[in-house]
Amino acid sequence: MHHHPAAPPSPPAPEPPASLRRTARLAAVLGACFLVLLVLVALRWQPLVAVDGDISRATHRWAVRDDGVTHLSRVLTDWVWDPVTMRLLCAAVAVWLVWRRAAWWTALWLAVTCAVATGVQQAVKAVVGRPRPVWPDPVDSAHYAAFPSGHALTATVVCGLLLWLLHRCGPGRVLWRTAVAAALVSVVGVGVTRVWLGVHWPSDVLGGWLFGALLVAVAVLVYEWPRNGRVRLPARRRG
């Protein structure tokens, strides 16, 4: 009788990199925070409604009184940080990724993530159905339900995705700090303008930030996990 040697044990599945584990934990925390806020908004929890109302009434008084800041806020929110502008920025980066680096997968991932963020945001708005603030002397207007803020969510998703891609390219210190500063100003600024113009409650903006950050974390996991964190952007084409 011939005895066949036992097959060597299969190697254990590789552990996800520490960065991916951190991202997964971050996604879990962001998801829990957003879920809690979503429930409080849906139940119209009185302390949250009271804080929203106090802040919104104060900022609306300032907006009516200060025409210059209100006009600047409208320009920034309607043109610079508008969701359409943000999506066009994403589209331009996706085209650049294909043209300069032949990074088709990365460009597709970027475009699909932005599209999914838009669709999911509209679905949550429709399900929650939160009314926007109503003023006798409005300084601006907006459509659809209030929660979460689409402007805040879109700015968070776009800036988060682009910062993550830039970080993977190994930017210089000056470029990186400039990009981080621009992203922070955009994400925070667009949230402030939405409350200032009286078209969102503060918790709508907070919900947009939380949900947007959650979508970025999930998108990073989707991008990296199948390749166990070894994905790298292709080298720049020469010529």
Side-chain angles (χ1 to χ4, degrees), residues 46-57:
Q46 193 52 44
L48 179 65
V49 171
V51 171
D52 273 341
D54 290 345
I55 295 174
S56 295
R57 281 188 291 271

Side-chain angles (χ1 to χ4, degrees), residues 24 38 110 112 114 177 185 204-205 229:
L38 175 66
L110 184 62
V112 168
C114 287
R177 289 181 176 177
V185 168
D204 299 336
V205 171

Side-chain angles (χ1 to χ4, degrees), residues 44-185:
R44 298 180 183 178
W45 189 53
Q46 193 52 44
L48 179 65
V49 171
V51 171
D52 273 341
D54 290 345
I55 295 174
S56 295
R57 281 188 291 271
T59 52
H60 181 66
R61 284 196 301 270
W62 301 337
V64 170
R65 198 164 55 231
D66 197 327
D67 288 340
V69 175
T70 298
H71 178 70
L72 176 62
S73 296
R74 199 177 294 118
V75 170
L76 289 172
T77 203
D78 289 344
W79 295 98
V80 181
W81 297 323
D82 182 72
V84 174
T85 305
M86 289 286 155
R87 291 177 197 129
L88 288 174
L89 175 60
C90 254
V93 172
V95 170
W96 180 86
L97 285 167
V98 172
W99 177 47
R100 298 298 295 175
R101 299 195 173 213
W104 289 93
W105 159 244
T106 305
L108 179 64
W109 167 83
L110 184 62
V112 168
T113 301
C114 287
V116 168
T118 301
V120 173
Q121 158 219 311
Q122 292 295 342
V124 174
K125 278 178 178 286
V127 169
V128 177
R130 188 186 203 186
R132 291 180 185 267
V134 177
W135 309 106
D137 48 352
V139 298
D140 203 356
S141 62
H143 307 290
Y144 307 113
F147 183 89
S149 165
H151 280 68
L153 183 147
T154 305
T156 304
V157 168
V158 171
C159 291
L161 294 176
L162 297 186
L163 273 183
W164 183 75
L165 287 174
L166 179 63
H167 185 262
R168 293 174 64 82
C169 293
R173 182 179 300 178
V174 173
L175 175 59
W176 175 247
R177 289 181 176 177
T178 302
V180 170
L184 285 174
V185 168

